[in-house]
Amino acid sequence: MGAQKKSGARVSEDPDELVRVPLQAILLADSFTTKFRPITLERPKVLLPLVNVPMINYTLTWLESAGVEEVFVFCCSHSKQVINYLEKSEWLSQPNFTVATIESQNSVSAGDALRVIYERNVIHGDFVLISGDTVSNMSLTQALLEHKERRKKDNNAVMTMVIKRSKPNPAIHQSRLGTDELFMAIDPNTKQLVYYEDRADQSRGTLHLDKSLLVDNPSLSLHHDKQDCYIDICSPEVLSLFTDNFDYQHLRRHFVKGLLVDDIMGYKIFVHEIHSDYAARIDNFRSYDTVSKDIIHRWTYPLVPDVMNFGHTATKLERQGMYRALEISQSQSAVIGPFTVIGSGTKIGNNTKISNSVIGEGCKIGSNVIIEGCYIWDNISVEDGCKLQHAIVCDGVIIKSGAVLEPGVILSFKVVVGPEFVVPPYSKVSLFQQPIKEDSDEELEYADSTSVIGSQVDKSDVEISSKVLETNFSPASQLGMGGAGHVWSTCEGGHEEEWRHSVAPIPKDKILEAIKTMEDDMEFAQDDSFLPPSGELKPNSIDSDDDDHEDSRDDSYYFEKEVEATFLRAVHENIQESHLMLEINSLKLSYNKQTSDCAGALFYAMMKYALDIPHSSADGLLQNVQVVFTKWKKALTSYLNDKDEQIEVILKFEEMCLESANEFAPLFTTILHHLYNDDVIEENAILSWEDEKKDADEADKVFVKQAQKFIQWLKEAPEEDDDEE
């Protein structure tokens, strides 16, 4: 299965007992949320394709590579589909890696599942708890070691949660995975978790903490820049705690919060933060889109398309992040853009354009079709002249000629869209009629649709046969002439919430509205005393200038990384400049940065991208720079309204030439001249930069000296040259 080297099994913690204990894991396959309906009415989410590979394969591959030897896959609804898939995929027959299934028809939550597993008495030591929709490439070695060392000193240390830095969008209080802004309080010395809240009062950006937290913890760090990876290392006591407390249903809102406020038993939860490793859970369509893009961009290596074949035809990685199966039929006039995956057996017609999309196996794509930012699963027919934008299309769908899918559309299995029909934005279409009652994510974390459609489909299994489908839909005029399917009405909150969890980019008007609200809230809070968004609290402590400087430096680093990631998304997803500027402005407010910081960070991102575009000579690199600035100049110059901001760009360019991008050093003057000619940097900024360098060390004057002829030309040039326009 392409697994990495294992980290090895454990030995019993009792030194007098030389018993080899295999590292075990519990994988919860029923990790569904309401945001995935109507798809999960017909197929378990863990079997939905993630870049043409079922999600559960990513989780199992990682567990095997991380040294886990026994995995218990818990199944409730759709259990037959999950078990049949595992048997056919040969996961149940891997050497040195045992995968066993535990089936229960009456469990509707994570708490119920763990109580069933406790009754089976199959867990014999510390174990990894994970859902089957998690993608990771992290090593478990250090987290396991920390957990074991803590257990030796304190038997009440029952859980270690894996977390990762992931600053949410400050305007919409939502991470790039579509999850709510998460607040944590952590002891910075022991890494003990003392507070966990994903539903803070966002109306005024306030957070309410019990005073006892500050009294009982001499040092406390507050964070809202962490992502819960939903990977937990647990001691066996965790299972018994669920058995003793039937109120524990939801892993986080019930179990974790319950332990944090329980002063009687004294059980403790700790965190392990990963930095360069990848870990993310898919629990809505936005996280599905984000993780898919991360896989295609190879952040999850070795869990990438050209490695994760699993019996499929080999996929080859080509230039600009394009993955193509060997057995495809593509017209010479068809254009396949970067960061696109094409499955085997797929046929693509004349003049069709596909970009930033995943196309499954056995698809028939007609001529003059435009597909952008979509997930097209297996055996789908898209006839001539169709346009699909940021949509998910499930197996067996037929989209007839000239039809249009607006951003955010979900077409469930075997839906038919009539010719020339336009499916409105964020529509969810299924052959099933919409359930009368839908459970909320607040009630059930791992519940499937069993409690929702019991009157329509047998609770013990939700396998879909062609006979069942024939009796559950009628040719719906809602989808045009010859269309088939039911358009579901929006949930509570309507379209106002659909965009939050869609695969479509966040609408420009929503970002504008959110930024305006945030600015109003900041004005309201200016006269109030409030805690910093993330920092360390020490009662009766004295502020340290050095610590403040270090925190500021860290913030600057992460701000630049966020801007770079935002710019690259804009490039790869063809986002408009105005939308890019909105996102950067949002980051500016979040990190409390100046316009000059935005200018320097965006300039760095643009130059770094130009450097990464393939080139074979200095002239080729210079041409790359010109192409990038031609397309994105407006975004950069929006942050260059005065001299200081332009000087910041020159200083950032110097820094790149000296440190991270030496390839630019010989071209410094040429590029600076280009920026001047293109009205990006003005003459007074260049002359002021030179003036600031007069008293600098010789080592800091390298590029001033290199640009001396150009600077002298500026000084001697007639004034009217500056006013030609």
Side-chain angles (χ1 to χ4, degrees):
M1 294 292 178
Q4 299 172 338
K5 182 179 179 181
K6 296 192 176 199
S7 59
R10 299 165 299 135
V11 176
S12 171
E13 295 175 9
D14 186 348
D16 298 325
E17 187 181 342
L18 299 178
V19 178
R20 187 176 183 276
V21 181
L23 181 57
Q24 298 175 300
I26 296 174
L27 186 155
L28 299 173
D30 285 291
S31 51
F32 305 124
T33 68
T34 58
K35 299 179 186 70
F36 265 93
R37 294 179 183 142
I39 293 175
T40 53
L41 293 184
E42 306 183 35
R43 182 179 297 179
K45 187 177 65 155
V46 294
L47 297 188
L48 299 183
L50 182 63
V51 194
N52 294 341
V53 174
M55 290 185 192
I56 197 171
N57 283 332
Y58 290 91
T59 311
L60 290 172
T61 299
W62 170 66
L63 289 172
E64 183 187 24
S65 69
V68 173
E69 294 179 83
E70 282 187 288
V71 179
F72 295 95
V73 179
F74 180 86
C75 313
C76 182
S77 69
H78 299 94
S79 58
K80 293 294 187 295
Q81 292 186 48
V82 175
I83 293 171
N84 289 341
Y85 174 78
L86 291 174
E87 289 175 343
K88 292 178 181 178
S89 67
E90 300 181 351
W91 272 118
L92 301 186
S93 59
Q94 289 297 304
N96 305 317
F97 184 66
T98 303
V99 178
T101 56
I102 295 178
E103 186 177 2
S104 170
Q105 303 298 336
N106 300 314
S107 301
V108 294
S109 71
D112 290 344
L114 295 180
R115 282 184 276 273
V116 170
I117 291 173
Y118 178 77
E119 293 171 0
R120 300 291 178 92
N121 194 30
V122 293
I123 299 297
H124 307 298
D126 294 340
F127 63 95
V128 179
L129 178 60
I130 191 171
S131 59
D133 50 15
T134 303
V135 176
S136 179
N137 61 8
M138 70 170 284
S139 169
L140 280 175
T141 304
Q142 185 60 34
L144 282 168
L145 180 62
E146 292 173 5
H147 181 79
K148 287 181 63 177
E149 290 299 320
R150 279 193 288 262
R151 290 281 293 165
K152 289 178 181 178
K153 299 174 184 178
D154 187 353
N155 284 332
N156 284 336
V158 295
M159 177 186 280
T160 299
M161 294 169 49
V162 176
I163 63 174
K164 183 177 176 65
R165 184 181 174 102
S166 179
K167 199 168 185 69
N169 185 309
I172 60 174
H173 303 286
Q174 176 178 294
S175 75
R176 61 191 291 266
L177 295 173
T179 52
D180 291 333
E181 189 174 33
L182 177 62
F183 290 84
M184 289 183 175
I186 301 169
D187 185 321
N189 299 314
T190 65
K191 304 303 180 185
Q192 182 179 346
L193 178 69
V194 297
Y195 181 85
Y196 183 101
E197 180 61 67
D198 59 355
R199 296 186 175 278
D201 180 9
Q202 297 174 354
S203 61
R204 291 294 178 188
T206 57
L207 181 65
H208 303 284
L209 295 177
D210 195 306
K211 291 181 180 178
S212 63
L213 285 178
L214 300 178
V215 174
D216 298 338
N217 297 275
S219 182
L220 194 64
S221 291
L222 292 179
H223 300 273
H224 78 147
D225 58 352
K226 304 300 180 188
Q227 167 195 326
D228 187 346
C229 300
Y230 290 91
I231 298 172
D232 303 324
I233 299 171
C234 307
S235 64
E237 286 90 337
V238 167
L239 297 179
S240 61
L241 285 171
F242 274 93
T243 302
D244 295 338
N245 298 272
F246 279 84
D247 289 340
Y248 289 166
Q249 299 292 335
H250 193 293
L251 275 178
R252 295 298 186 253
R253 297 186 192 125
H254 299 153
F255 176 71
V256 169
K257 289 186 179 180
L259 291 195
L260 294 181
V261 299
D262 186 354
D263 296 329
I264 299 175
M265 302 302 293
Y267 289 113
K268 300 173 184 177
I269 299 173
F270 294 82
V271 298
H272 172 79
E273 185 171 0
I274 59 176
H275 300 280
S276 58
D277 294 329
Y278 188 90
R281 181 186 171 201
I282 301 163
D283 62 355
N284 58 66
F285 290 115
R286 187 162 297 283
S287 57
Y288 176 85
D289 176 58
T290 299
V291 174
S292 295
K293 285 183 168 59
D294 290 343
I295 291 170
I296 294 170
H297 285 78
R298 306 183 77 78
W299 291 109
T300 61
Y301 188 85
L303 308 184
V304 290
D306 51 320
V307 177
M308 299 283 289
N309 288 323
F310 288 93
H312 295 260
T313 305
T315 300
K316 182 181 178 183
L317 172 61
E318 300 179 1
R319 290 185 60 183
Q320 294 187 306
M322 189 177 79
Y323 300 84
R324 193 198 306 258
L326 299 180
E327 292 82 12
I328 69 171
S329 174
Q330 176 185 333
S331 168
Q332 290 186 346
S333 60
V335 178
I336 309 299
F339 303 107
T340 297
V341 181
I342 308 294
S344 65
T346 288
K347 298 179 180 179
I348 303 171
N350 299 324
N351 300 311
T352 286
K353 297 179 180 179
I354 302 175
S355 62
N356 296 296
S357 299
V358 177
I359 311 296
E361 298 185 350
C363 296
K364 297 179 180 179
I365 313 295
S367 299
N368 300 304
V369 173
I370 297 176
I371 299 177
E372 179 183 354
C374 292
Y375 297 91
I376 311 297
W377 294 0
D378 294 342
N379 303 311
I380 291 162
S381 174
V382 181
E383 295 182 0
D384 296 347
C386 293
K387 184 177 182 180
L388 288 64
Q389 293 178 287
H390 305 288
I392 294 178
V393 182
C394 298
D395 296 356
V397 166
I398 298 173
I399 304 175
K400 296 192 175 180
S401 60
V404 175
L405 303 189
E406 295 284 3
V409 167
I410 310 294
L411 299 183
S412 192
F413 300 88
K414 299 186 178 180
V415 162
V416 179
V417 179
E420 306 293 334
F421 186 80
V422 178
V423 184
Y426 309 113
S427 298
K428 296 180 180 179
V429 185
S430 174
L431 294 184
F432 278 118
Q433 293 185 1
Q434 187 171 8
I436 298 174
K437 177 180 180 290
E438 292 195 22
D439 297 314
S440 68
D441 293 335
E442 289 75 14
E443 293 170 342
L444 301 176
E445 178 185 25
Y446 291 109
D448 186 50
S449 52
T450 54
S451 60
V452 180
I453 59 168
S455 61
Q456 295 179 327
V457 182
D458 180 27
K459 181 177 180 178
S460 64
D461 208 345
V462 196
E463 291 190 49
I464 304 301
S465 66
S466 58
K467 184 175 181 180
V468 171
L469 291 177
E470 288 171 3
T471 61
N472 273 276
F473 76 90
S474 57
S477 59
Q478 292 174 302
L479 296 175
M481 185 69 66
H486 299 280
V487 179
W488 288 19
S489 60
T490 55
C491 59
E492 185 178 351
H495 287 309
E496 291 304 309
E497 293 300 318
E498 293 296 323
W499 59 269
R500 291 183 179 275
H501 303 114
S502 168
V503 299
I506 297 175
K508 179 180 176 180
D509 62 322
K510 296 298 181 184
I511 294 183
L512 281 171
E513 179 183 328
I515 290 177
K516 178 64 170 62
T517 302
M518 184 171 64
E519 289 174 340
D520 292 343
D521 289 344
M522 290 179 69
E523 290 177 7
F524 176 84
Q526 278 181 350
D527 297 329
D528 296 339
S529 59
F530 60 92
L531 295 173
S534 182
E536 187 172 339
L537 298 177
K538 294 184 179 179
N540 303 320
S541 66
I542 300 176
D543 292 337
S544 166
D545 292 339
D546 291 340
D547 289 344
D548 290 344
H549 177 69
E550 184 174 347
D551 289 343
S552 174
R553 185 173 62 230
D554 287 345
D555 262 3
S556 296
Y557 170 80
Y558 286 114
F559 172 73
E560 290 185 357
K561 287 297 182 184
E562 291 268 16
V563 171
E564 183 181 1
T566 301
F567 173 73
L568 289 176
R569 281 200 302 277
V571 171
H572 299 320
E573 299 174 23
N574 200 27
I575 293 174
Q576 294 180 356
E577 280 184 295
S578 58
H579 202 151
L580 169 63
M581 290 153 58
L582 282 173
E583 293 199 32
I584 293 176
N585 290 339
S586 179
L587 291 170
K588 173 189 172 187
L589 290 171
S590 173
Y591 283 91
N592 194 27
K593 293 298 181 182
Q594 303 297 319
T595 305
S596 59
D597 298 316
C598 298
L602 181 55
F603 175 81
Y604 174 88
M606 293 168 65
M607 295 294 284
K608 180 68 164 51
Y609 175 64
L611 183 64
D612 290 341
I613 298 174
H615 57 276
S616 56
S617 64
D619 288 341
L621 178 56
L622 185 61
Q623 190 173 26
N624 287 352
V625 172
Q626 292 171 341
V627 169
V628 172
F629 274 87
T630 297
K631 181 170 177 56
W632 301 100
K633 171 188 168 183
K634 180 180 177 182
L636 178 61
T637 53
S638 69
Y639 300 106
L640 298 176
N641 296 319
D642 63 35
K643 179 178 66 176
D644 291 338
E645 292 156 359
Q646 296 174 27
I647 292 175
E648 177 65 26
V649 163
I650 301 175
L651 294 175
K652 179 61 69 174
F653 190 21
E654 278 191 293
E655 180 185 315
M656 291 186 71
C657 292
L658 289 171
E659 297 176 8
S660 60
N662 297 34
E663 207 170 337
F664 281 124
L667 300 173
F668 180 89
T669 303
T670 305
I671 293 175
L672 184 63
H673 200 159
H674 172 74
L675 296 176
Y676 168 76
N677 287 337
D678 213 24
D679 296 324
V680 176
I681 304 294
E682 296 178 355
E683 175 183 335
N684 63 343
I686 298 172
L687 298 181
S688 296
W689 164 67
E690 183 215 19
D691 189 58
E692 288 182 9
K693 294 284 184 176
K694 283 183 178 178
D695 298 325
D697 295 335
E698 288 301 312
D700 291 333
K701 295 182 179 180
V702 173
F703 296 106
V704 168
K705 291 181 177 179
Q706 185 189 123
Q708 200 56 49
K709 288 185 178 180
F710 171 54
I711 294 171
Q712 194 61 33
W713 176 82
L714 288 176
K715 291 178 178 179
E716 297 173 355
E719 291 185 6
E720 57 266 26
D721 286 357
D722 297 332
D723 301 313
E724 283 184 13
E725 295 181 5

